[in-house]
Amino acid sequence: TTPQQKIDKTRQFGGGRVEIRLVGDYFDATLRAAQAFTQETGALFLPPFDDADVIEGQATCALEILEELPAPDLLVIPVGGGGLASGMVQVADALSPATAVRFVEPEGGPSLRRALEAGALVTLPAVDNFVDGAAVARIGDRNFAVLGRFAPGDALLAPENRICATMLEMLNVEGVVLEPAGALAVDALRDLDVAGRTVVAVVSGGNFDFERLPDVKERALRWEGRKKYYILRLPQRPGALREFLAVLGPDDDISRFEYLKKSARNFGSVLLGIETTVRANFEALEARMAAAGFTWVDITDDAVITSLII
C-alpha cells in the first residue's frame, strides 16, 4: 500500500541495484518480512527506528536546529516508530534542557500515546495507514526507553482529516509540499498555545503522490465542515427532484447524486454529496429540507458506511 511516489524514489536511490518487494498491507507486517529475509539470506538488516545508530543519526536534526536557534521554547516532533523523537530528545536534554517537547502522532496510530498511558509498550490492534510515514502499531523498544518518561498529554493526536486540511493550506498558502506524516507537527500547532513563544515544528517529509490529492481535498473539506454526505429518501414521483433542488442555497453544490435503491414503490434512497462555502450553510439547508418534508440521514461521520460507499 506504499504510495507509488515513494516506491519510485527508493528505486531511484538504488541506482538500478535495488530489488523492491512489496509485502504486507501495514508497516509491522513489512518489518517482519524484512527481518525474516535477512535471517534466511544472511543480509544486514537496517532498522527504521529501533536501533542505537539510527537514533543517533536522526538526532543530528536537533543538533542542526540548536546550532541556528540555541534555546527554543518548544520543539514539536512527529512520531512514527520513535527514532527521530528519541534522538532529538536526548540532544535537547543535553544542550537545551529548558526547551519543552511535544510529540505528534496520527489519531489512527497512537502507539506512543497508548504506551505512555499504559506505562509500558503497547501493540495497537489496528492502525489507520493513511499517514503512511507514521502508521506504526508499536513504538520501538529503544525509543520508548527514552520517551517513556513523558506524560500521555505530551503526545498529541492529529486527526487524519485535519492533517489533510493542513497539507492543503501549506501547499496553497506556503507553496510547501508535505506528505501526511510530514504535516503532523505543523498540524499540531492548532492545539498548542504558541503566542509569544519560539517554536520549532519539525516537518519530516515531502514524498507526496499527487494522485492522492483528490482524496486529501475530500477529507479536508469534511473536516472543515464544508462537505457532507446524506442518504436522502426521495419520493418516486415526477417533480420530486425539482422540489429538492429548490431547497439548496446559492452556495450549495451537489458533488454526488447516486440512486442506491430505486425499486421501492413510493420512495428511493439517494446518496447525496453536497459541498458549500461555510459550515453554517448546512444548518440552514437541513432546516429547509425538514420544512419541505424530506427525510434524510447524515452519514458524513459514519466511518463504516462512508468507507463502503464513498
Side-chain angles (χ1 to χ4, degrees), residues 49-50 55 58-59 75-93 101-105 110-121 136 138-156:
F49 49 79
D50 195 2
I55 292 171
Q58 295 192 335
L75 283 176
V76 185
I77 307 172
V79 176
L84 178 68
S86 56
M88 291 188 66
V89 160
Q90 292 180 81
V91 171
D93 285 346
V101 178
R102 295 293 181 272
F103 309 102
V104 194
E105 298 179 283
S111 57
L112 175 59
R113 176 69 172 263
R114 297 294 175 258
L116 293 176
E117 290 171 347
L121 284 165
V136 177
R138 181 184 173 95
I139 201 85
D141 291 359
R142 292 178 179 83
N143 315 106
F144 188 67
V146 175
L147 304 177
R149 65 180 172 86
F150 288 90
D154 293 329
L156 309 177

Short mmCIF file of all heavy atoms in Angstrom, two decimals, residues 49-50 55 58-59 75-93 101-105 110-121 136 138-156:
data_model
loop_
_atom_site.label_atom_id
_atom_site.label_comp_id
_atom_site.label_asym_id
_atom_site.label_seq_id
_atom_site.Cartn_x
_atom_site.Cartn_y
_atom_site.Cartn_z
N PHE A 49 13.94 2.50 12.96
CA PHE A 49 13.95 3.41 14.12
C PHE A 49 14.49 2.78 15.39
O PHE A 49 15.07 3.45 16.22
CB PHE A 49 12.54 3.97 14.39
CG PHE A 49 11.44 2.94 14.43
CD1 PHE A 49 11.24 2.15 15.54
CD2 PHE A 49 10.60 2.78 13.35
CE1 PHE A 49 10.22 1.20 15.59
CE2 PHE A 49 9.58 1.83 13.37
CZ PHE A 49 9.40 1.04 14.49
N ASP A 50 14.33 1.48 15.59
CA ASP A 50 14.70 0.84 16.86
C ASP A 50 16.15 0.36 16.80
O ASP A 50 16.44 -0.84 16.82
CB ASP A 50 13.75 -0.32 17.14
CG ASP A 50 13.84 -0.80 18.59
OD1 ASP A 50 14.61 -0.19 19.36
OD2 ASP A 50 13.16 -1.78 18.93
N ILE A 55 19.05 6.02 15.76
CA ILE A 55 18.62 7.08 16.68
C ILE A 55 19.66 8.19 16.72
O ILE A 55 19.34 9.39 16.67
CB ILE A 55 18.38 6.50 18.09
CG1 ILE A 55 17.18 5.57 18.08
CG2 ILE A 55 18.19 7.62 19.11
CD1 ILE A 55 16.99 4.77 19.36
N GLN A 58 19.50 10.24 13.49
CA GLN A 58 18.35 11.14 13.42
C GLN A 58 18.45 12.27 14.44
O GLN A 58 17.85 13.34 14.27
CB GLN A 58 17.06 10.35 13.61
CG GLN A 58 16.82 9.36 12.47
CD GLN A 58 15.43 8.77 12.49
OE1 GLN A 58 14.77 8.69 13.52
NE2 GLN A 58 14.97 8.35 11.33
N ALA A 59 19.24 12.05 15.49
CA ALA A 59 19.43 13.10 16.50
C ALA A 59 20.12 14.33 15.92
O ALA A 59 19.99 15.43 16.48
CB ALA A 59 20.24 12.55 17.67
N LEU A 75 9.88 22.38 21.12
CA LEU A 75 10.10 21.55 19.94
C LEU A 75 8.87 20.68 19.74
O LEU A 75 8.41 20.02 20.67
CB LEU A 75 11.32 20.64 20.14
CG LEU A 75 12.72 21.22 19.99
CD1 LEU A 75 13.76 20.15 20.33
CD2 LEU A 75 12.95 21.74 18.57
N VAL A 76 8.33 20.66 18.52
CA VAL A 76 7.19 19.82 18.19
C VAL A 76 7.68 18.77 17.19
O VAL A 76 8.12 19.11 16.09
CB VAL A 76 6.03 20.65 17.59
CG1 VAL A 76 4.80 19.75 17.38
CG2 VAL A 76 5.69 21.82 18.50
N ILE A 77 7.61 17.50 17.59
CA ILE A 77 8.27 16.43 16.84
C ILE A 77 7.25 15.37 16.43
O ILE A 77 6.51 14.86 17.28
CB ILE A 77 9.36 15.77 17.71
CG1 ILE A 77 10.32 16.82 18.26
CG2 ILE A 77 10.13 14.73 16.90
CD1 ILE A 77 11.31 16.27 19.28
N PRO A 78 7.21 15.00 15.15
CA PRO A 78 6.34 13.90 14.73
C PRO A 78 6.88 12.56 15.19
O PRO A 78 8.09 12.38 15.33
CB PRO A 78 6.36 14.02 13.20
CG PRO A 78 7.69 14.64 12.89
CD PRO A 78 7.98 15.57 14.03
N VAL A 79 5.98 11.61 15.41
CA VAL A 79 6.39 10.29 15.89
C VAL A 79 5.72 9.20 15.06
O VAL A 79 4.51 9.21 14.85
CB VAL A 79 6.00 10.08 17.38
CG1 VAL A 79 6.33 8.67 17.83
CG2 VAL A 79 6.71 11.10 18.26
N GLY A 80 6.55 8.26 14.59
CA GLY A 80 6.05 7.03 14.00
C GLY A 80 6.53 5.90 14.88
O GLY A 80 5.89 5.52 15.85
N GLY A 81 7.74 5.42 14.59
CA GLY A 81 8.34 4.41 15.46
C GLY A 81 9.14 5.01 16.60
O GLY A 81 9.47 4.32 17.57
N GLY A 82 9.48 6.31 16.50
CA GLY A 82 10.15 6.99 17.61
C GLY A 82 11.63 7.25 17.42
O GLY A 82 12.29 7.75 18.34
N GLY A 83 12.20 6.94 16.26
CA GLY A 83 13.62 7.16 16.06
C GLY A 83 14.01 8.63 16.10
O GLY A 83 14.91 9.03 16.84
N LEU A 84 13.31 9.44 15.32
CA LEU A 84 13.58 10.88 15.29
C LEU A 84 13.33 11.50 16.66
O LEU A 84 14.15 12.27 17.17
CB LEU A 84 12.70 11.54 14.23
CG LEU A 84 12.81 13.06 14.11
CD1 LEU A 84 14.17 13.46 13.57
CD2 LEU A 84 11.70 13.60 13.19
N ALA A 85 12.20 11.16 17.27
CA ALA A 85 11.83 11.77 18.55
C ALA A 85 12.82 11.42 19.65
O ALA A 85 13.27 12.29 20.41
CB ALA A 85 10.42 11.32 18.95
N SER A 86 13.20 10.14 19.77
CA SER A 86 14.12 9.76 20.85
C SER A 86 15.50 10.35 20.64
O SER A 86 16.18 10.73 21.61
CB SER A 86 14.19 8.23 20.96
OG SER A 86 14.56 7.63 19.74
N GLY A 87 15.93 10.47 19.39
CA GLY A 87 17.23 11.10 19.14
C GLY A 87 17.22 12.58 19.47
O GLY A 87 18.13 13.09 20.14
N MET A 88 16.18 13.28 19.04
CA MET A 88 16.11 14.72 19.28
C MET A 88 15.97 15.05 20.76
O MET A 88 16.54 16.03 21.25
CB MET A 88 14.95 15.32 18.48
CG MET A 88 15.15 15.32 16.97
SD MET A 88 13.87 16.24 16.09
CE MET A 88 14.18 17.92 16.66
N VAL A 89 15.22 14.23 21.48
CA VAL A 89 15.02 14.48 22.91
C VAL A 89 16.35 14.40 23.66
O VAL A 89 16.63 15.24 24.55
CB VAL A 89 14.01 13.46 23.48
CG1 VAL A 89 14.13 13.36 25.00
CG2 VAL A 89 12.60 13.85 23.10
N GLN A 90 17.17 13.44 23.32
CA GLN A 90 18.46 13.30 24.02
C GLN A 90 19.37 14.50 23.76
O GLN A 90 20.07 14.97 24.67
CB GLN A 90 19.13 12.00 23.59
CG GLN A 90 18.38 10.76 24.08
CD GLN A 90 19.06 9.47 23.65
OE1 GLN A 90 20.02 9.02 24.28
NE2 GLN A 90 18.56 8.87 22.59
N VAL A 91 19.36 15.01 22.55
CA VAL A 91 20.16 16.19 22.23
C VAL A 91 19.60 17.41 22.96
O VAL A 91 20.36 18.21 23.54
CB VAL A 91 20.19 16.44 20.71
CG1 VAL A 91 20.83 17.79 20.40
CG2 VAL A 91 20.95 15.32 20.01
N ALA A 92 18.28 17.56 22.95
CA ALA A 92 17.68 18.70 23.64
C ALA A 92 17.97 18.66 25.14
O ALA A 92 18.26 19.69 25.76
CB ALA A 92 16.18 18.73 23.38
N ASP A 93 17.89 17.47 25.73
CA ASP A 93 18.19 17.34 27.17
C ASP A 93 19.62 17.80 27.47
O ASP A 93 19.87 18.44 28.50
CB ASP A 93 18.03 15.88 27.60
CG ASP A 93 16.57 15.47 27.72
OD1 ASP A 93 15.70 16.36 27.73
OD2 ASP A 93 16.31 14.25 27.81
N VAL A 101 9.15 19.87 25.03
CA VAL A 101 8.96 19.00 23.86
C VAL A 101 7.54 18.48 23.84
O VAL A 101 6.98 18.11 24.87
CB VAL A 101 9.94 17.80 23.90
CG1 VAL A 101 9.71 16.88 22.71
CG2 VAL A 101 11.39 18.28 23.92
N ARG A 102 6.94 18.48 22.65
CA ARG A 102 5.65 17.83 22.43
C ARG A 102 5.78 16.91 21.22
O ARG A 102 6.48 17.23 20.26
CB ARG A 102 4.54 18.84 22.18
CG ARG A 102 4.23 19.73 23.38
CD ARG A 102 3.63 18.94 24.54
NE ARG A 102 3.32 19.82 25.67
CZ ARG A 102 4.18 20.12 26.63
NH1 ARG A 102 5.41 19.63 26.61
NH2 ARG A 102 3.83 20.92 27.62
N PHE A 103 5.11 15.78 21.29
CA PHE A 103 5.14 14.80 20.21
C PHE A 103 3.78 14.77 19.51
O PHE A 103 2.76 15.09 20.11
CB PHE A 103 5.47 13.42 20.77
CG PHE A 103 6.69 13.40 21.64
CD1 PHE A 103 6.57 13.36 23.03
CD2 PHE A 103 7.96 13.47 21.08
CE1 PHE A 103 7.70 13.37 23.84
CE2 PHE A 103 9.09 13.47 21.89
CZ PHE A 103 8.96 13.43 23.27
N VAL A 104 3.79 14.37 18.26
CA VAL A 104 2.54 14.32 17.49
C VAL A 104 2.45 13.01 16.74
O VAL A 104 3.38 12.62 16.04
CB VAL A 104 2.44 15.48 16.47
CG1 VAL A 104 1.01 15.59 15.96
CG2 VAL A 104 2.90 16.79 17.06
N GLU A 105 1.32 12.33 16.91
CA GLU A 105 1.04 11.09 16.20
C GLU A 105 -0.28 11.22 15.46
O GLU A 105 -1.14 12.01 15.85
CB GLU A 105 0.92 9.91 17.18
CG GLU A 105 2.15 9.61 17.98
CD GLU A 105 1.91 8.45 18.92
OE1 GLU A 105 1.26 8.65 19.96
OE2 GLU A 105 2.37 7.34 18.60
N PRO A 110 -1.80 5.83 17.41
CA PRO A 110 -1.21 6.47 18.59
C PRO A 110 -0.36 5.51 19.43
O PRO A 110 -0.62 5.31 20.62
CB PRO A 110 -2.43 6.94 19.36
CG PRO A 110 -3.46 5.89 19.07
CD PRO A 110 -3.20 5.45 17.65
N SER A 111 0.66 4.90 18.85
CA SER A 111 1.42 3.88 19.58
C SER A 111 2.18 4.47 20.78
O SER A 111 2.27 3.84 21.83
CB SER A 111 2.39 3.17 18.64
OG SER A 111 3.26 4.08 18.00
N LEU A 112 2.73 5.68 20.65
CA LEU A 112 3.42 6.30 21.79
C LEU A 112 2.43 6.72 22.86
O LEU A 112 2.64 6.46 24.05
CB LEU A 112 4.23 7.51 21.33
CG LEU A 112 4.90 8.32 22.44
CD1 LEU A 112 5.86 7.47 23.27
CD2 LEU A 112 5.62 9.55 21.88
N ARG A 113 1.35 7.36 22.47
CA ARG A 113 0.35 7.82 23.44
C ARG A 113 -0.20 6.65 24.27
O ARG A 113 -0.30 6.74 25.50
CB ARG A 113 -0.78 8.53 22.70
CG ARG A 113 -1.95 8.99 23.56
CD ARG A 113 -1.58 10.13 24.50
NE ARG A 113 -2.77 10.65 25.15
CZ ARG A 113 -3.45 11.72 24.74
NH1 ARG A 113 -3.06 12.37 23.66
NH2 ARG A 113 -4.50 12.15 25.39
N ARG A 114 -0.54 5.55 23.61
CA ARG A 114 -1.09 4.42 24.34
C ARG A 114 -0.04 3.79 25.26
O ARG A 114 -0.37 3.33 26.36
CB ARG A 114 -1.63 3.38 23.36
CG ARG A 114 -2.80 3.88 22.51
CD ARG A 114 -4.03 4.17 23.37
NE ARG A 114 -5.09 4.76 22.56
CZ ARG A 114 -5.39 6.06 22.55
NH1 ARG A 114 -4.71 6.90 23.35
NH2 ARG A 114 -6.35 6.54 21.80
N ALA A 115 1.20 3.77 24.83
CA ALA A 115 2.27 3.22 25.67
C ALA A 115 2.48 4.10 26.90
O ALA A 115 2.68 3.60 28.01
CB ALA A 115 3.55 3.09 24.87
N LEU A 116 2.44 5.41 26.72
CA LEU A 116 2.60 6.32 27.85
C LEU A 116 1.44 6.18 28.83
O LEU A 116 1.62 6.26 30.04
CB LEU A 116 2.71 7.76 27.35
CG LEU A 116 3.97 8.11 26.54
CD1 LEU A 116 3.89 9.54 26.02
CD2 LEU A 116 5.22 7.92 27.39
N GLU A 117 0.23 5.97 28.30
CA GLU A 117 -0.93 5.78 29.18
C GLU A 117 -0.81 4.49 29.98
O GLU A 117 -1.20 4.43 31.16
CB GLU A 117 -2.20 5.77 28.33
CG GLU A 117 -2.56 7.12 27.74
CD GLU A 117 -3.70 7.03 26.73
OE1 GLU A 117 -4.06 5.91 26.31
OE2 GLU A 117 -4.23 8.11 26.36
N ALA A 118 -0.26 3.45 29.34
CA ALA A 118 -0.15 2.14 30.00
C ALA A 118 1.11 2.03 30.85
O ALA A 118 1.22 1.14 31.70
CB ALA A 118 -0.16 1.03 28.95
N GLY A 119 2.09 2.91 30.60
CA GLY A 119 3.36 2.81 31.31
C GLY A 119 4.22 1.67 30.83
O GLY A 119 5.17 1.26 31.49
N ALA A 120 3.89 1.15 29.64
CA ALA A 120 4.64 0.04 29.06
C ALA A 120 4.33 -0.01 27.57
O ALA A 120 3.34 0.58 27.11
CB ALA A 120 4.27 -1.28 29.72
N LEU A 121 5.15 -0.73 26.82
CA LEU A 121 4.93 -0.84 25.39
C LEU A 121 3.59 -1.51 25.10
O LEU A 121 3.19 -2.47 25.78
CB LEU A 121 6.06 -1.65 24.75
CG LEU A 121 7.38 -0.88 24.58
CD1 LEU A 121 8.51 -1.84 24.27
CD2 LEU A 121 7.25 0.16 23.47
N VAL A 136 2.51 3.21 12.73
CA VAL A 136 3.25 2.13 13.37
C VAL A 136 2.45 1.62 14.57
O VAL A 136 2.00 2.41 15.40
CB VAL A 136 4.64 2.61 13.83
CG1 VAL A 136 5.38 1.51 14.56
CG2 VAL A 136 5.45 3.09 12.63
N ARG A 138 3.50 -0.29 17.06
CA ARG A 138 4.24 -0.43 18.32
C ARG A 138 5.50 0.42 18.26
O ARG A 138 6.30 0.30 17.33
CB ARG A 138 4.60 -1.89 18.54
CG ARG A 138 5.35 -2.18 19.84
CD ARG A 138 5.74 -3.65 19.90
NE ARG A 138 6.59 -3.99 21.03
CZ ARG A 138 6.15 -4.46 22.20
NH1 ARG A 138 4.85 -4.64 22.38
NH2 ARG A 138 6.96 -4.76 23.19
N ILE A 139 5.65 1.30 19.22
CA ILE A 139 6.86 2.12 19.31
C ILE A 139 8.06 1.21 19.55
O ILE A 139 7.93 0.12 20.12
CB ILE A 139 6.69 3.15 20.46
CG1 ILE A 139 7.64 4.34 20.28
CG2 ILE A 139 6.86 2.52 21.80
CD1 ILE A 139 7.11 5.39 19.39
N GLY A 140 9.23 1.62 19.10
CA GLY A 140 10.42 0.80 19.28
C GLY A 140 10.85 0.67 20.74
O GLY A 140 10.62 1.58 21.55
N ASP A 141 11.49 -0.44 21.08
CA ASP A 141 11.94 -0.67 22.46
C ASP A 141 12.92 0.40 22.92
O ASP A 141 12.77 0.99 23.99
CB ASP A 141 12.60 -2.05 22.58
CG ASP A 141 11.60 -3.19 22.42
OD1 ASP A 141 10.40 -2.91 22.23
OD2 ASP A 141 12.02 -4.35 22.49
N ARG A 142 13.96 0.63 22.12
CA ARG A 142 14.97 1.63 22.49
C ARG A 142 14.36 3.03 22.51
O ARG A 142 14.74 3.86 23.33
CB ARG A 142 16.15 1.58 21.51
CG ARG A 142 17.00 0.31 21.58
CD ARG A 142 18.09 0.35 20.53
NE ARG A 142 18.94 -0.84 20.57
CZ ARG A 142 18.64 -1.99 19.99
NH1 ARG A 142 17.49 -2.12 19.33
NH2 ARG A 142 19.47 -3.02 20.06
N ASN A 143 13.44 3.25 21.63
CA ASN A 143 12.82 4.56 21.55
C ASN A 143 11.95 4.84 22.77
O ASN A 143 11.98 5.94 23.34
CB ASN A 143 11.99 4.65 20.26
CG ASN A 143 12.74 4.11 19.06
OD1 ASN A 143 12.45 3.04 18.59
ND2 ASN A 143 13.77 4.82 18.59
N PHE A 144 11.20 3.83 23.20
CA PHE A 144 10.35 4.02 24.37
C PHE A 144 11.18 4.14 25.64
O PHE A 144 10.77 4.80 26.59
CB PHE A 144 9.35 2.89 24.50
CG PHE A 144 8.32 3.13 25.58
CD1 PHE A 144 7.38 4.15 25.44
CD2 PHE A 144 8.29 2.35 26.72
CE1 PHE A 144 6.44 4.39 26.43
CE2 PHE A 144 7.36 2.58 27.71
CZ PHE A 144 6.43 3.60 27.57
N ALA A 145 12.37 3.52 25.66
CA ALA A 145 13.25 3.66 26.82
C ALA A 145 13.62 5.12 27.04
O ALA A 145 13.84 5.56 28.18
CB ALA A 145 14.50 2.81 26.63
N VAL A 146 13.66 5.90 25.97
CA VAL A 146 13.97 7.33 26.07
C VAL A 146 12.70 8.14 26.30
O VAL A 146 12.68 9.08 27.11
CB VAL A 146 14.67 7.82 24.78
CG1 VAL A 146 14.88 9.34 24.81
CG2 VAL A 146 15.99 7.10 24.59
N LEU A 147 11.61 7.79 25.60
CA LEU A 147 10.40 8.61 25.61
C LEU A 147 9.43 8.24 26.72
O LEU A 147 8.48 8.98 26.98
CB LEU A 147 9.68 8.47 24.26
CG LEU A 147 10.52 8.82 23.02
CD1 LEU A 147 9.69 8.57 21.75
CD2 LEU A 147 10.98 10.27 23.07
N GLY A 148 9.66 7.13 27.40
CA GLY A 148 8.71 6.65 28.41
C GLY A 148 8.55 7.54 29.61
O GLY A 148 7.59 7.40 30.37
N ARG A 149 9.45 8.48 29.82
CA ARG A 149 9.35 9.37 30.98
C ARG A 149 8.33 10.50 30.79
O ARG A 149 8.00 11.21 31.74
CB ARG A 149 10.72 9.98 31.29
CG ARG A 149 11.26 10.90 30.21
CD ARG A 149 12.63 11.45 30.62
NE ARG A 149 13.31 12.20 29.57
CZ ARG A 149 13.12 13.49 29.33
NH1 ARG A 149 12.25 14.17 30.05
NH2 ARG A 149 13.80 14.10 28.37
N PHE A 150 7.86 10.68 29.57
CA PHE A 150 6.92 11.77 29.30
C PHE A 150 5.51 11.38 29.70
O PHE A 150 5.17 10.20 29.83
CB PHE A 150 6.97 12.15 27.82
CG PHE A 150 8.22 12.88 27.43
CD1 PHE A 150 9.34 12.18 27.00
CD2 PHE A 150 8.29 14.26 27.52
CE1 PHE A 150 10.51 12.84 26.65
CE2 PHE A 150 9.45 14.94 27.16
CZ PHE A 150 10.57 14.23 26.73
N ALA A 151 4.67 12.41 29.90
CA ALA A 151 3.27 12.20 30.26
C ALA A 151 2.45 11.94 29.00
O ALA A 151 2.80 12.41 27.91
CB ALA A 151 2.73 13.42 31.00
N PRO A 152 1.32 11.22 29.11
CA PRO A 152 0.48 10.98 27.94
C PRO A 152 0.06 12.26 27.23
O PRO A 152 -0.02 12.30 26.00
CB PRO A 152 -0.73 10.24 28.52
CG PRO A 152 -0.19 9.55 29.73
CD PRO A 152 0.84 10.48 30.29
N GLY A 153 -0.18 13.31 28.00
CA GLY A 153 -0.59 14.58 27.40
C GLY A 153 0.48 15.24 26.57
O GLY A 153 0.18 16.18 25.80
N ASP A 154 1.71 14.79 26.68
CA ASP A 154 2.79 15.34 25.85
C ASP A 154 2.76 14.78 24.43
O ASP A 154 3.44 15.30 23.54
CB ASP A 154 4.16 15.03 26.48
CG ASP A 154 4.37 15.74 27.79
OD1 ASP A 154 3.83 16.85 27.96
OD2 ASP A 154 5.07 15.18 28.67
N ALA A 155 2.00 13.71 24.21
CA ALA A 155 1.86 13.10 22.88
C ALA A 155 0.50 13.50 22.32
O ALA A 155 -0.54 12.97 22.73
CB ALA A 155 1.99 11.59 22.97
N LEU A 156 0.49 14.45 21.41
CA LEU A 156 -0.74 14.95 20.82
C LEU A 156 -1.18 14.05 19.67
O LEU A 156 -0.35 13.44 19.00
CB LEU A 156 -0.53 16.38 20.32
CG LEU A 156 0.07 17.36 21.32
CD1 LEU A 156 0.30 18.71 20.67
CD2 LEU A 156 -0.82 17.50 22.54
#
